[in-house]
Amino acid sequence: MKDRSLLMIPGPIEFEPEVLQALGAPTTSHVAPNFIDAFGCALENMRKVWLAPEGQPFIVAGSGTLAMELAGANLIEPGDRALVLSTGVFGDRFEDLLTRHGADVTVLHAPIGEALDLNQVEDALKGGEYKLLTVTHVDTSTAVRMPIRSIGELAQHYNVLSIVDGVCSVAGEEIQQGDWGLDVVLTASQKAIGVPPGLALLVASPRAMEASSARSSSVRSYYADWAKWLPIMTAYEGRKPSYFGTPAVNLVAALDVSLRQIVDEGMSARFARHELLADAFRAAVQSLGMGFVATEPKDQANTLTACRYPNGVAAGDLLPAIKQAGVIVAGGLHPKIKSEYFRVGHMGAVCMGDILATIGAIETGLRSVGHQFEAGIGVATALKWQAEQED
Ligand code: PMP
């Protein structure tokens, strides 16, 4: 029997075998020709995945929080005003981070489970004299998705730089960084990008690069300073070696493989696959008598779902039962509603078979804790949903 559960948390996710093979290959020198080529190709493919032909990609060893720090540290100078749009825990993290870098931060908090109202955002931007705003595309604590295209338009209109935390969205949710005028779109390797944890990734617009070079004070982080990393990215893209900090050689090689797979799938096909699987999953969850933290369909992410426990079912009972049935899902994260919901990631290499296995395990878990429903209804609903889309 295969001694492995299906990992359906919102990152790290299940990875493609070819990606893991690249990760496990013998480590080369960071100036070896094959590594220089892998690094260069990864940078080029980031522009395609982010749909940001003019953007400057950065690949730096670290987690998603470092990607947030790379954006904040380079664009904020002490006293700059920043507007944080928060739809959960990760929005709040930006408040903390930008404050640490000396920003004067205003936060707009959405009610839990809702996206922020665009009129409210526009009212804040009017006369707010903000240098930048941050928006969490999909907040992993609530599974709420923000309409970043409209946020980008507002930011452009009010001449404010926009930073998108796309840790739970890049390569899963539609993002057209270039056309939508977004200044920084950042992520981490372990989610829809499909590479084990350890890489902070971002693409900065020409406007963001100009803003960072026009600073009057030096960047308050040594490791996160774009000026240290830009020559490295430029060199590798020009297929020349360079050094500031030793790159995570195996992770970059794995990233190269994963980005090639993503580009081969095609961005619109990839976005459509995520949408179809998310819709099928949610239809199945609803058929089992559960609701969602994000109540409005337009606010529901395609990369993960936050499912509310049915009445009378407790986290401590259901999650181990789902695990026992072979699938690992994640508990609640938002401190105010932590015990009321669980989270299921469906991004990256996810396929219909994974969705069906997950629904099957949730059904098994629900039955074992005494929840009443028609046996098989969840799996049948997901399959029916898929069939309807194909007709
Ligand atoms: N932003 C979002 C939306 C996230 O989901 C996460 C991680 N779950 C982070 C930022 C932070 O990323 P990391 O844990 O890789 O530092």
Side-chain angles (χ1 to χ4, degrees):
M1 197 178 89
K2 179 168 81 72
D3 182 23
R4 189 170 64 82
S5 306
L6 181 66
L7 187 60
M8 294 293 283
I9 65 170
I13 61 164
E14 292 272 334
F15 302 116
E16 294 280 9
E18 295 81 3
V19 171
L20 295 176
Q21 269 159 19
L23 193 74
T27 304
T28 63
S29 153
H30 60 289
V31 297
N34 64 333
F35 177 69
I36 294 172
D37 201 45
F39 204 147
C41 281
L43 290 163
E44 285 162 4
N45 278 332
M46 277 177 70
R47 285 200 194 86
K48 295 182 191 157
V49 171
W50 269 244
L51 295 163
E54 312 292 323
Q56 175 57 54
F58 288 88
I59 301 172
V60 179
S63 78
T65 308
L66 176 70
M68 296 168 78
E69 186 124 39
L70 282 158
N74 287 278
L75 295 178
I76 284 294
E77 294 193 65
D80 283 343
R81 287 174 56 74
L83 181 66
V84 168
L85 309 181
S86 179
T87 43
V89 164
F90 292 101
D92 294 350
R93 180 172 290 198
F94 247 132
E95 174 186 14
D96 215 10
L97 190 153
L98 297 179
T99 305
R100 188 74 71 94
H101 285 279
D104 173 4
V105 181
T106 303
V107 190
L108 295 182
H109 290 281
I112 295 173
E114 291 178 28
L116 274 159
D117 177 50
L118 289 174
N119 293 325
Q120 195 192 348
V121 176
E122 181 156 18
D123 286 347
L125 286 172
K126 268 183 208 157
E129 292 183 6
Y130 295 107
K131 177 173 185 189
L132 62 79
L133 64 76
T134 70
V135 55
T136 313
H137 192 187
V138 171
D139 200 297
T140 321
S141 66
T142 53
V144 167
R145 181 183 57 206
M146 279 289 286
I148 56 164
R149 183 179 191 165
S150 307
I151 298 291
E153 279 164 11
L154 282 175
Q156 294 259 330
H157 184 77
Y158 289 96
N159 201 23
V160 169
L161 292 164
S162 50
I163 300 179
V164 177
D165 173 350
V167 172
C168 201
S169 68
V170 170
E173 301 279 356
E174 180 178 14
I175 304 178
Q176 303 198 24
Q177 183 177 357
D179 283 354
W180 296 357
L182 303 165
D183 290 301
V184 174
V185 177
L186 63 91
T187 191
S189 49
Q190 74 271 18
K191 302 214 186 201
I193 287 286
V195 176
L199 292 177
L201 307 169
L202 70 81
V203 177
S205 70
R207 194 165 79 131
M209 294 309 293
E210 279 156 28
S212 74
S213 33
R215 294 173 64 97
S216 49
S217 63
S218 59
V219 172
R220 285 182 164 190
S221 162
Y222 187 73
Y223 186 71
D225 190 345
W226 285 351
K228 302 276 188 214
W229 291 108
L230 181 60
I232 313 304
M233 302 304 137
T234 309
Y236 275 98
E237 203 170 346
R239 304 300 190 269
K240 294 192 189 72
S242 192
Y243 170 76
F244 168 55
T246 307
V249 171
N250 289 56
L251 281 168
V252 174
L255 176 68
D256 176 37
V257 172
S258 194
L259 290 173
R260 283 172 198 262
Q261 291 176 341
I262 294 170
V263 169
D264 281 351
E265 181 176 12
M267 296 317 295
S268 21
R270 192 169 175 91
F271 300 145
R273 172 169 59 83
H274 279 80
E275 186 175 353
L276 181 124
L277 295 177
D279 284 344
F281 182 72
R282 272 191 291 270
V285 166
Q286 266 178 312
S287 74
L288 293 169
M290 285 184 274
F292 308 109
V293 173
T295 45
E296 287 285 327
K298 71 169 177 38
D299 301 338
Q300 292 167 345
N302 291 331
T303 47
L304 88 154
T305 298
C307 313
R308 286 194 171 272
Y309 294 112
N311 282 340
V313 172
D317 298 332
L318 184 60
L319 296 192
I322 297 174
K323 164 85 171 61
Q324 183 67 29
V327 177
I328 299 173
V329 299
L333 183 61
H334 197 296
K336 294 206 173 120
I337 53 166
K338 206 172 161 51
S339 62
E340 297 171 21
Y341 73 108
F342 64 100
R343 297 170 303 144
V344 177
H346 31 76
M347 65 185 119
V350 66
C351 63
M352 195 60 184
D354 298 332
I355 296 292
L356 296 175
T358 306
I359 292 293
I362 293 173
E363 287 203 16
T364 307
L366 284 171
R367 202 166 47 247
S368 76
V369 299
H371 180 61
Q372 301 291 316
F373 58 93
E374 184 188 328
I377 183 80
V379 171
T381 303
L383 283 171
K384 217 184 287 167
W385 182 276
Q386 184 188 34
E388 281 165 15
Q389 304 312 306
E390 285 170 0
D391 284 347

